[in-house]
Amino acid sequence: MSGGIDPARHYIGGQWLAEGALGDSLNPADDTVLGQYHAGSAALTDQAARLARETFFASSWAHAPRQRAQALFEFADRMEAVKDRIVDLIVAENGKLRAEAMGETLGAISEVRYYAGLARNVRGTMQETLPGQMSLFHREAAGVAGIIVPWNAPVTLLIRSLGPALAAGCTCVLKPAQQTALTHALILSCLDACPSLPKGVVNSVNENGVAVGQAMVASPDVDVISFTGSSATGKKIMAAAAQSLKRVGLELGGKAPAVVFADADLDQAVRELTHGALTMAGQICVAAARFLVQESILDSFQARIKAAFEAVRVGPGADPSSQMGSLIDRANVARVQGLIDRAADEGDMVLRGKALNTGAFLTPTLFRIDDVRSPLVQDELFGPIVSIETFADEAEAVAKANATVYGLAASVFTQDLARAMRMSRAIRAGTVWLNCHMRLSAEGETGGFGQSGLGRLHGPEGLHDFLETKHVYMEQGRI
Ligand code: NAD
């Protein structure tokens, strides 16, 4: 496999480019410098987008579904061959647990194979509207896809957009988050080693600010933006994309409520919600961020979840005894500590998180709050900090679950199946888990209601962002 990994270089037209100032990639567990990356520019982004556009029209990629499937299978095999290196790099750059990084990597490999299969099944439809009047509805690749991803799951979230984009026949320009530039470069080296993938189909530019992402959204050579990140950035991207009426797919922030009814299996709820809230130290869009608990079981639920949170061993992701890794950096530890102070003022502290002496580590926080309008309830906090709120009955549970601008995910815990199904209909979220939290797969669409986003990724619908429908009409004459 060819280089480009340290310093992480840009990848345009199959060439590794060492342009732009060098930035450091840091290990949040111990503040060491892991390696470096070259930060790109708007000019380099324009070059990558132009090349992607030329490749889209000059190659047969958009019209060769079997080749696309083959290239995706090769990509999955290359990733599988270096999966331990990918996992080690995710742990080192991101701070998450090795088991979480392995789950992310194996899930991504599986998803590439899933879209390899779907690449051969992109079909249109046909309709004869009147005798001899034939309409063909083609599903065609949309053109050049610009894919912008965050640092929190740098492999899964890249593949969730790149898999369907390539399966649909698009060419691509990628932009990783600066915090995970080395992990991204290793994934690119896997793509570079795929003989069935024409050079120029996948291009990538690093950055250390916003210039590359902004240039990608502004570029006349990019047809579709597939963005995963915060709602605040998603709004900026949508506004900027309006200038060229570019299509956007937005997978944005969340504030997932977990609703626990009095008849729930509390052992199961506590087990699921400890994992659902503290996976990746709470830095995941679908993390359980609000525990909505029926009043009659507040004391017993609170005592159990507090004990479970207290027992979580916080430590380096590479240490097999750790049960929760670090935050992405010390700035985020300071940010969440500010939120903890605010929670202590506005609500009742149940368990106060503390920073460890080294690295970007913070133990979990739980706080009670009743004011649903508080920013602590309304805003995405993105860390190991969860509110506990109460409700009296089903109607209030629904009202509170739907009380934020977000609608990405939710979970419901009850042994009453009819109530579980009623709740799943009433909650306005792209995903609702029943008696569990955080089950994600290549097959299951994800996406948001409200300010959690536009469109869906994963599953067959993941292809839609990267396809156009073309109506071809012909008069055939009557027999
Ligand atoms: P972010 O919005 O700050 O950054 C995401 C990406 O956008 C990065 O690559 C960044 O460099 C780029 N970017 C920033 N400003 C830009 C601009 N003006 N134009 C173009 N690109 C720009 O988010 P983050 O802090 O890196 O990630 C955490 C956020 O992502 C959280 O809000 C989380 O909920 C969300 N997220 C959502 C999903 C989902 O599936 N819905 C998944 C993971 C993360």
Side-chain angles (χ1 to χ4, degrees):
M1 237 168 256
S2 53
I5 296 167
D6 184 16
R9 284 176 268 167
H10 318 290
Y11 184 66
I12 300 179
Q15 304 293 316
W16 296 99
L17 301 181
E19 273 185 38
L22 285 170
D24 289 336
S25 169
L26 302 174
N27 184 335
D30 59 13
D31 303 319
T32 53
V33 176
L34 290 163
Q36 293 189 304
Y37 63 91
H38 286 278
S41 60
L44 207 57
T45 312
D46 289 343
Q47 185 185 328
R50 220 171 18 251
L51 200 278
R53 190 155 207 85
E54 282 165 18
T55 308
F56 183 77
F57 290 110
S59 75
S60 57
W61 178 251
H63 308 286
R66 290 183 177 185
Q67 181 188 356
R68 301 202 297 269
Q70 178 61 23
L72 284 163
F73 279 126
E74 290 165 4
F75 180 31
D77 291 346
R78 298 295 181 280
M79 285 175 68
E80 195 159 49
V82 295
K83 70 175 187 306
D84 288 319
R85 276 181 74 199
I86 298 173
V87 168
D88 288 344
L89 261 184
I90 297 175
V91 171
E93 280 196 304
N94 177 286
K96 67 177 69 171
L97 299 179
R98 200 163 199 286
E100 292 168 349
M102 183 60 84
E104 168 168 356
T105 303
L106 295 179
I109 294 167
S110 163
E111 182 144 8
V112 173
R113 293 194 171 118
Y114 175 80
Y115 281 106
L118 285 191
R120 294 178 65 173
N121 204 30
V122 177
R123 294 177 176 192
T125 54
M126 182 278 283
Q127 188 178 26
E128 195 172 13
T129 47
L130 285 170
Q133 296 187 359
M134 189 73 76
S135 286
L136 304 176
F137 301 98
H138 292 274
R139 298 288 278 155
E140 290 185 0
V144 177
I147 297 174
I148 302 174
V149 286
W151 48 262
N152 69 329
V155 179
T156 300
L157 299 176
L158 171 67
I159 297 305
R160 187 177 63 167
S161 292
L162 182 61
L166 293 179
C170 288
T171 57
C172 303
V173 182
L174 318 179
K175 195 208 81 63
Q178 68 203 53
Q179 294 90 338
T180 46
L182 300 179
T183 305
H184 181 81
L186 180 54
I187 301 297
L188 286 178
S189 75
C190 296
L191 281 160
D192 184 54
C194 297
S196 301
L197 186 74
K199 302 303 177 199
V201 168
V202 178
N203 308 278
S204 183
V205 183
N206 304 321
E207 77 169 346
N208 60 3
V210 295
V212 170
Q214 285 174 337
M216 201 188 276
V217 177
S219 170
D221 290 321
V222 174
D223 299 280
V224 177
I225 292 289
S226 182
F227 171 76
T228 304
S230 64
S231 297
T233 306
K235 288 177 191 178
K236 288 183 197 160
I237 286 179
M238 193 167 170
Q243 294 305 313
S244 54
L245 286 177
K246 220 179 247 40
R247 296 208 275 127
V248 290
L250 303 173
E251 296 275 341
L252 307 178
K255 183 81 180 183
V259 184
V260 186
F261 283 94
D263 69 348
D265 175 339
L266 278 197
D267 289 338
Q268 182 183 30
V270 167
R271 195 174 55 245
E272 286 289 331
L273 292 178
T274 302
H275 175 259
L278 301 181
T279 292
M280 292 159 57
Q283 302 167 111
I284 177 167
C285 51
V286 293
R290 303 170 64 203
F291 296 155
L292 294 175
V293 185
Q294 197 152 21
E295 284 162 0
S296 59
I297 56 158
L298 174 65
D299 290 345
S300 58
F301 176 82
Q302 190 167 295
R304 287 187 199 208
I305 197 86
K306 180 183 177 191
F309 271 39
E310 260 174 335
V312 169
R313 276 192 305 279
V314 177
D319 179 344
S321 71
S322 300
Q323 294 173 318
M324 188 178 101
S326 73
L327 270 62
I328 187 66
D329 52 31
R330 284 178 187 259
N332 270 286
V333 173
R335 178 185 63 78
V336 179
Q337 282 177 313
L339 294 168
I340 296 171
D341 289 342
R342 182 165 185 173
D345 289 343
E346 277 189 41
D348 292 326
M349 198 50 66
V350 176
L351 177 67
R352 190 177 183 115
K354 295 181 186 61
L356 304 190
N357 290 333
T358 55
F361 295 100
L362 187 61
T363 64
T365 294
L366 282 166
F367 64 100
R368 279 271 299 117
I369 192 160
D370 289 317
D371 181 4
V372 83
R373 292 161 309 171
S374 164
L376 291 165
V377 174
Q378 289 296 323
D379 296 347
E380 184 180 42
L381 307 183
F382 221 58
I385 172 168
V386 186
S387 63
I388 301 179
E389 303 158 59
T390 56
F391 64 87
D393 55 21
E394 201 174 310
E396 194 183 8
V398 171
K400 286 195 169 176
N402 288 337
T404 73
V405 295
Y406 295 108
L408 192 62
S411 58
V412 178
F413 293 83
T414 173
Q415 299 198 51
D416 179 341
L417 179 62
R419 173 156 53 204
M421 294 311 295
R422 279 197 304 276
M423 289 295 294
S424 72
R425 283 193 295 276
I427 291 177
R428 298 205 23 100
T431 301
V432 181
W433 293 290
L434 301 178
N435 293 318
C436 58
H437 196 101
M438 207 178 304
R439 300 289 195 277
L440 299 162
S441 67
E443 292 86 348
E445 278 82 358
T446 53
F449 283 49
Q451 294 191 21
S452 286
L454 289 178
R456 293 292 180 269
L457 288 175
H458 287 315
E461 274 195 49
L463 289 166
H464 293 188
D465 280 359
F466 306 101
L467 291 169
E468 289 280 9
T469 298
K470 181 181 284 175
H471 178 196
V472 177
Y473 176 84
M474 57 184 164
E475 296 275 351
Q476 285 201 317
R478 296 174 192 223
I479 296 170

